[in-house]
Amino acid sequence: MVNITINNRKIAAREGETIMEAARRNNIYIPSLCWLDGVHSVGSCRICIVEVEGARTLQASCIVPVQDGMVIRTNTEKVRKARKLLYELILSDHPRECLSCARNQSCELQKLGEMINAEGDRFVGERSKTAIDDSSPSIIRDMSKCVLCRRCVTVCNEIQGIGVLNVQNRGFDTVIGPAPGLALDTVNCTYCGQCTTICPVGALQEKDSTEAVWNALFDKRKRVIVQTAPAVRAALGEEFGYEPGTLVTGKMVTALRELGFDDVFDTNFAADLTIIEEGSELLERLTAALSGKQAVLPMITSCSPGWIKYVEHTWPDELDHLSSCKSPHMMLGALTKSYYAQKLGIDPKDIFVVSVMPCTAKKFEITRPELANDGLPNVDAVLTTRELGRMIKEAGIDFESLEDSRFDSPMGASTGAADIFGTTGGVMEAALRTVYELVTGRELPFEDLHVKPIQGLGRIKTAELSIEDPLPEYSHFGGTILRIAVTSGLTGARELMEEVAAGSSPYHFIEVMGCPGGCISGGGQPRPVDDAIREKRLEAIYSEDEGKVLRKSHENPDIRKLYEEFLGSPLGHKSHELLHTHYVKRGIYNQLID
Ligand code: FES
């Protein structure tokens, strides 16, 4: 420990920590803009300046480490004046469009102005950058609003390991983006949207789909059907001031009905279905391998569209490792326009399917030609959790006072296994709950059905599962040790894929989610997000699972009925047509390659 003084208060600081960290730990708030705790500290905005006794200039507290005996003042006349001046300089290159900006009331620059009691806006002149890049179906970049904090550069390069967003040009011409002249849809951006969750202003946003959804809701000829992903119910409440980790499932369903949706289905239903299809696919591949036939292992999950786009760009020769299952919301969309349309006796063309997702990459996923049936997209629009929050507010719905209600039938019932799709390790655990029981006739031998080694926010988690005394029809599995790995975030994925590509992967089954922590902190989830918030959302997801009577996908009675009435059998002809897909090889310029 080192002894420092901040604003006349003696503080025992940790050796190596910055002034900012020591101050925050002791509840002394130093205003900041570019700094993001544990993620980004490069000292680019200088808003966090403080006076340090003996130093010739003001110091950026987010990058200067504490030293024994340091005497720091955070709010002197000199600091206040300089901070306000810096703020005005940032404003001088920022459009004054706050009232119509999607970040109005949630903008960190706006909040900072309030906090430092900003008074003036003296420097009006030429602006440096105005380009708007709306080439991607998922993310919109409005460089006129960028404050050059570089958080997105850190998240894209260091946390996701993609490196699409970088500092281009210098001085007044500095801009953050792909290489000069290139738009997002011409590079290997995965559309994970992690940059949109940490952008302090409105420079990086999901592409707005609310207008398209309002138009569909007002169109009397359309039956508008909505579905919601498991992670949305664990985070939507934050848009209305609830504590992170508050489950708002019932209120969310009621709000969707009040918005005017004709049917409110649960993507969880299709998550259970995914387990049946993906589990069958895994068993098929394992059976082949154990019988000495050719089989591509490890099999890797395919629910996360950011991960899929990443692997298409980065490992185009390894696509056979991906499960052919569509992601759950695409499965549900395909069934809505076939199974449910048939039940209703209406033309699928008159159905408009909206998915509420924690994810920005899903907006891209619905545009993929491989994911259409009979010329119709499986899903017509994707709203992020944030966009749904905006729509509920715009409609004047008092979210807090809503009564709980339940999802509609026949695609609203789900098991606890589906709930945990919302967090890293969840798809794997859900699959094991079913696959192990199918093969052995017994429940997964873990307390409360949880596979502890693959839970939590660790970057790469692994486990082994020994299969003893299988049922006679699966006798070839006897003595097999199933090796599994789980990762979330694309740097872990890269590490696992290096082994896969080298042919040295020891695993049979791998789960990859494109965003750190999985869907609970997807690119479309409420801001802010950090590990403490991720943990709370994760606990909420597990409590939803543990509160269910049925906790294994193969126990879902409505899924059984779906196979009896419509699909036939898992991996059957109809399933292949509606629930499975293929992938394409892409170059780093997003061009399709052979
Ligand atoms: Fe410290 Fe930006 S917050 S330099």
Side-chain angles (χ1 to χ4, degrees):
M1 302 298 273
V2 293
N3 296 313
I4 61 169
T5 305
I6 305 182
N7 299 342
N8 297 326
R9 201 202 301 177
K10 304 260 182 256
I11 284 171
R14 295 178 185 145
E15 207 166 331
E17 73 180 343
T18 61
I19 297 171
M20 173 73 87
E21 285 163 344
R24 292 268 172 122
R25 256 191 332 98
N26 287 278
N27 302 319
I28 297 169
Y29 190 85
I30 302 173
S32 62
L33 182 60
C34 66
W35 179 73
L36 199 56
D37 193 10
V39 176
H40 179 74
S41 56
V42 297
S44 59
C45 76
R46 318 303 283 186
I47 287 290
C48 65
I49 42 169
V50 293
E51 260 192 275
V52 176
E53 229 172 69
R56 277 185 296 127
T57 56
L58 295 173
Q59 304 288 300
S61 61
C62 73
I63 50 169
V64 173
V66 291
Q67 281 175 27
D68 200 36
M70 221 176 209
V71 177
I72 300 145
R73 288 188 187 81
T74 68
N75 210 27
T76 62
E77 187 185 3
K78 195 171 169 190
V79 168
R80 289 184 68 240
K81 275 193 174 152
R83 198 186 276 149
K84 287 186 186 195
L85 177 69
L86 285 161
Y87 186 79
E88 279 187 83
L89 287 169
I90 294 170
L91 281 194
S92 74
D93 201 15
H94 195 77
R96 280 81 166 167
E97 293 169 3
C98 303
L99 297 183
S100 57
C101 176
R103 292 298 298 271
N104 190 20
Q105 307 292 316
S106 72
C107 170
E108 292 181 43
L109 187 63
Q110 216 175 37
K111 280 202 188 102
L112 176 65
E114 187 190 3
M115 165 157 201
I116 67 168
N117 200 11
E119 291 153 3
D121 189 0
R122 287 169 292 171
F123 310 114
V124 179
E126 198 189 339
R127 300 260 176 77
S128 61
K129 46 214 180 293
T130 54
I132 293 178
D133 175 0
D134 63 354
S135 62
S136 135
S138 295
I139 294 165
I140 186 156
R141 292 171 54 241
D142 181 350
M143 286 301 96
S144 70
K145 294 177 181 169
C146 177
V147 291
L148 299 177
C149 70
R150 294 160 167 77
R151 285 182 185 177
C152 57
V153 175
T154 297
V155 83
C156 186
N157 285 267
E158 288 167 33
I159 295 180
Q160 291 293 63
I162 305 298
V164 159
L165 295 179
N166 285 295
V167 181
Q168 312 293 347
N169 308 327
R170 306 189 70 175
F172 194 61
D173 295 326
T174 304
V175 71
I176 310 290
L182 294 181
L184 268 192
D185 73 337
T186 63
V187 293
N188 56 336
C189 176
T190 64
Y191 303 150
C192 70
Q194 286 298 303
C195 56
T196 70
T197 66
I198 46 80
C199 178
V201 293
L204 288 159
Q205 284 279 6
E206 69 268 57
K207 199 170 230 181
D208 186 89
S209 303
T210 59
E211 278 311 310
V213 175
W214 284 123
N215 288 340
L217 287 168
F218 296 144
D219 185 342
K220 295 277 171 279
R221 293 160 303 177
K222 292 278 181 202
R223 189 170 183 110
V224 189
I225 297 172
V226 68
Q227 57 170 317
T228 66
V232 175
R233 66 208 68 186
L236 178 65
E238 292 164 43
E239 291 288 318
F240 300 94
Y242 286 81
E243 275 297 302
T246 308
L247 282 167
V248 293
T249 318
K251 286 184 191 299
M252 174 185 72
V253 174
T254 308
L256 289 164
R257 284 210 183 90
E258 290 204 6
L259 283 172
F261 289 100
D262 295 299
D263 304 272
V264 184
F265 288 147
D266 195 352
T267 311
N268 285 20
F269 172 83
D272 278 333
L273 181 61
T274 301
I275 290 302
I276 304 302
E277 291 291 324
E278 197 168 85
S280 303
E281 190 184 354
L282 179 66
L283 283 177
E284 201 173 83
R285 292 194 196 206
L286 287 171
T287 298
L290 291 169
S291 328
K293 298 199 188 111
Q294 193 145 14
V296 182
L297 289 172
M299 187 175 100
I300 312 178
T301 57
S302 54
C303 302
S304 163
W307 148 245
I308 293 295
K309 191 159 182 285
Y310 167 77
V311 79
E312 286 179 331
H313 284 294
T314 318
W315 310 94
D317 294 331
E318 309 302 330
L319 299 181
D320 287 352
H321 288 274
L322 298 172
S323 160
S324 64
C325 286
K326 289 181 183 174
S327 68
H329 86 118
M330 299 305 280
M331 287 194 182
L332 197 130
L335 289 171
T336 302
K337 293 186 180 182
S338 54
Y339 173 60
Y340 191 54
Q342 235 174 61
K343 268 186 185 288
L344 292 176
I346 63 174
D347 188 336
K349 288 195 190 78
D350 295 330
I351 292 179
F352 191 90
V353 177
V354 178
S355 300
V356 185
M357 296 282 125
C359 179
T360 48
K362 297 270 181 206
K363 288 176 185 272
F364 160 71
E365 186 185 31
I366 63 170
T367 68
R368 297 179 69 120
E370 310 81 39
L371 292 167
N373 289 95
D374 300 326
L376 291 176
N378 293 159
V379 171
D380 299 284
V382 166
L383 295 172
T384 62
T385 311
R386 299 191 292 258
E387 286 176 290
L388 175 61
R390 293 208 291 273
M391 284 184 75
I392 294 171
K393 286 175 196 162
E394 189 184 342
I397 295 169
D398 178 7
F399 192 79
E400 209 177 332
S401 70
L402 293 175
E403 298 283 331
D404 287 351
S405 63
R406 299 168 78 89
F407 290 101
D408 289 312
S409 190
M411 293 192 285
S414 64
T415 70
D419 289 307
I420 59 176
F421 265 58
T423 183
T424 169
V427 176
M428 178 64 78
E429 183 173 307
L432 293 181
R433 287 181 192 178
T434 285
V435 168
Y436 186 85
E437 194 163 317
L438 282 181
V439 171
T440 65
R442 303 183 300 277
E443 266 196 351
L444 199 58
F446 299 120
E447 193 188 334
D448 228 1
L449 294 177
H450 292 313
V451 187
K452 290 273 183 220
I454 57 166
Q455 292 188 330
L457 300 177
R459 202 167 66 93
I460 294 180
K461 299 160 287 181
T462 62
E464 290 184 354
L465 181 61
S466 173
I467 300 180
E468 306 295 343
D469 301 323
L471 293 169
E473 61 268 39
Y474 289 106
S475 57
H476 49 285
F477 277 83
T480 300
I481 294 177
L482 194 66
R483 293 191 179 83
I484 56 172
V486 169
T487 193
S488 64
L490 295 171
T491 51
R494 176 179 294 272
E495 220 171 281
L496 291 171
M497 283 309 293
E498 275 164 5
E499 288 181 333
V500 170
S504 60
S505 175
Y507 306 110
H508 297 98
F509 192 22
I510 298 176
E511 177 202 296
V512 182
M513 293 293 156
C515 293
C519 304
I520 48 165
S521 48
Q525 290 284 67
R527 311 178 184 95
V529 65
D530 57 26
D531 277 353
I533 291 173
R534 286 186 182 99
E535 291 281 6
K536 286 184 183 155
R537 292 178 184 166
L538 184 149
E539 281 165 23
I541 295 268
Y542 281 114
S543 78
E544 186 92 325
D545 161 37
E546 286 158 13
K548 291 262 174 86
V549 179
L550 302 178
R551 296 185 57 213
K552 294 168 266 177
S553 297
H554 56 281
E555 293 174 335
N556 185 331
D558 287 352
I559 293 286
R560 289 184 184 159
K561 199 162 147 201
L562 172 71
Y563 278 106
E564 281 160 23
E565 283 184 356
F566 185 70
L567 287 175
S569 58
L571 305 185
H573 175 71
K574 243 193 179 119
S575 289
H576 267 294
E577 192 188 320
L578 293 170
L579 311 180
H580 291 256
T581 187
H582 63 276
Y583 309 99
V584 295
K585 297 183 180 196
R586 298 173 194 273
I588 57 161
Y589 295 108
N590 203 15
Q591 77 281 25
L592 299 185
I593 52 180
D594 287 338

